[in-house]
Amino acid sequence: MKVSVSFLSSKNIPKDLKILNDTDVDLIHVDVMDGKFVKNKTMPFREMRHVSDYTDKRLDVHLMVEDPSKYIPLYAELNCEVIYIHVEIDEDIMKDLDMIKKYSIKCGLAINPDTKVSELVPYLPYLDYILVMSVYPGMGGQSFITSASDKIKEIKDLIKSYNVKCLVNVDGGVNNDTIKYCRDCDIVTSGSYITNSSNFQEKISSLR
Ligand code: DX5
Ligand code: ZN
């Protein structure tokens, strides 16, 4: 199992990113919130860009924003493996996915707990990743919504039936207990379980 770590709940981001850089974590998960698509707002790009000063791990950027077309060109400057936008936004999703691909970055769609899996279908042939939200987006430290487990299975079946290549990541409330609901995933994203602990590597290993 691949593991991505979110530093959203970190109390000392530079320090935690440096520690993570010395672990075997696969990706660093960058949560971006605009105060519109979700209530909270994260730091502006001019501060967020420094993530790459502290780690040379690849990033998976999760844009919880109404208008990703404004954010994609900025984040594309960083060491991104994938950029996720949300399927629930009003912007032209195909245009945004195309924009991500033009920067030679993999593209992904994130899906909220109350959104039907069928919403993903029109985009399936274009997607490299799907991010299944197992909490309502907006903050770290929430409890894993167990119905995400069925959703992951449903999405895996959909990927198979459409014969497309797309990896599945799950985000929110992942820890050594809720990992049992994520076994069908290719990647798991975990935040507070790792960054609130005193041994990041031990916690990362417990999810593999
Ligand atoms: C929620 C974020 C998640 C979150 C994960 O809005 O997208 O990435 O930070 O953190 P935990 O593991 O604490 O739920
Ligand atoms: Zn996230």
Side-chain angles (χ1 to χ4, degrees), residues 111-127:
I111 179 165
N112 280 342
D114 293 339
T115 305
K116 287 200 182 94
V117 163
S118 58
E119 299 285 316
L120 298 169
V121 170
Y123 310 105
L124 270 184
Y126 308 96
L127 298 178

Side-chain angles (χ1 to χ4, degrees), residues 17-92:
L17 287 175
K18 282 185 213 156
I19 298 173
L20 284 168
N21 202 45
D22 292 331
T23 68
D24 66 5
V25 74
D26 297 284
L27 293 165
I28 302 292
H29 185 85
V30 182
D31 284 307
V32 181
M33 304 181 184
D34 65 353
K36 291 184 273 182
F37 183 75
V38 289
K39 274 197 201 113
N40 286 324
K41 208 171 172 169
T42 42
M43 62 183 115
F45 179 72
R46 64 172 187 279
E47 289 171 41
M48 200 73 104
R49 71 189 316 163
H50 293 295
V51 168
S52 295
D53 298 347
Y54 305 112
T55 179
D56 39 50
K57 299 275 183 189
R58 303 215 78 201
L59 310 178
D60 68 331
V61 174
H62 178 194
L63 296 178
M64 288 167 272
V65 303
E66 269 180 5
D67 45 1
S69 55
K70 289 195 190 123
Y71 293 76
I72 294 163
L74 301 175
Y75 281 87
E77 275 181 31
L78 306 181
N79 184 19
C80 299
E81 160 73 13
V82 48
I83 297 181
Y84 295 100
I85 62 170
H86 265 266
V87 72
E88 296 85 7
I89 57 168
D90 289 328
E91 261 194 3
D92 185 336

